[in-house]
Amino acid sequence: MPEPPVRIDGEGFVLRPWCMTDLQALVHHADDEAVSRGLRDRFPFPYTRADGEAFLSGRILPLDGPTLAIEIDGQACGGIGATLGSGERAHSAELGYWLGRGYWNRGWMQRVTAAYVPWLLHRYRLSRLHAQVLDVNHASARVLQRAGFVEEGLARGAVIKRGVVHDLRCFALVRPWPAG
């Protein structure tokens, strides 16, 4: 019997699976150069309706795992997810998230990660969660630090974003194995 859809209720937000009815809100919040600046190039700018349809159909990221919409004020305005490791790295995952600019600097991502990270670690029996943050994205680094992540190092010259070479700050949250 399949598991029920994930729903994590937080203080003023809900984390839930993405659905096709999120298309308009997704495009509205994702089509922002400032939002895409700190994300991988698979999150384009401009962000078109076709980009939203490709994402919501699972052609960009698999949506059957721990990739969830952040719903605030009744609309999807961001996302949080993890790429699960496999083989000898099955105990770990890479965390990623984004939020529409209208919700920045109000503590939303801190509350979202505080709800999502423990759920993810428990649900997938993970002992390591890591994330990489573009060197200019200080707000995202603070979110991770407040969630208990430790900065492990710097990947120098790791990415070229819009013609500029950037370092990636590397963070991890590690708990004892075996995860329970």
Side-chain angles (χ1 to χ4, degrees):
M1 182 169 195
E3 290 186 27
V6 174
R7 180 180 171 97
I8 303 169
D9 291 293
E11 185 183 327
F13 67 89
V14 173
L15 303 179
R16 56 153 177 86
W18 287 95
C19 55
M20 288 306 287
T21 58
D22 292 325
L23 181 60
Q24 183 175 339
L26 169 61
V27 173
H28 170 75
H29 292 288
D31 188 27
D32 185 328
E33 191 277 334
V35 169
S36 69
R37 183 181 314 132
L39 301 174
R40 294 177 190 234
D41 286 347
R42 68 181 174 211
F43 194 106
F45 178 78
Y47 196 98
T48 66
R49 182 176 179 84
D51 295 320
E53 290 169 346
F55 173 75
L56 293 173
S57 68
R59 293 192 314 261
I60 307 301
L61 291 172
L63 297 181
D64 57 351
T67 300
L68 303 175
I70 301 169
E71 180 183 305
I72 303 172
D73 299 330
Q75 66 174 329
C77 58
I80 189 164
T83 302
L84 301 172
S86 61
E88 71 279 2
R89 295 184 181 168
H91 69 290
S92 68
E94 181 177 8
L95 177 70
Y97 50 81
W98 70 276
L99 188 64
R101 189 178 353 183
Y103 295 93
W104 288 5
N105 300 313
R106 295 172 27 200
W108 287 111
M109 281 313 303
Q110 184 177 344
R111 292 193 297 276
V112 165
T113 56
Y116 180 79
V117 166
W119 170 83
L120 180 73
L121 291 170
H122 176 75
R123 168 66 180 84
Y124 293 94
R125 300 196 70 227
L126 302 174
S127 63
R128 177 181 170 82
L129 189 56
H130 58 274
Q132 295 181 323
V133 176
L134 206 63
D135 54 5
V136 295
N137 193 344
H138 305 295
S140 191
R142 281 192 305 275
V143 164
L144 292 169
Q145 290 166 329
R146 289 177 181 149
F149 285 68
V150 173
E151 190 162 1
E152 292 186 317
L154 187 70
R156 295 178 28 215
V159 297
I160 299 174
K161 191 73 175 167
R162 300 194 172 107
V164 177
V165 176
H166 289 276
D167 298 337
L168 285 176
R169 295 174 66 185
C170 304
F171 294 86
L173 177 66
V174 179
R175 67 182 192 164
W177 180 258

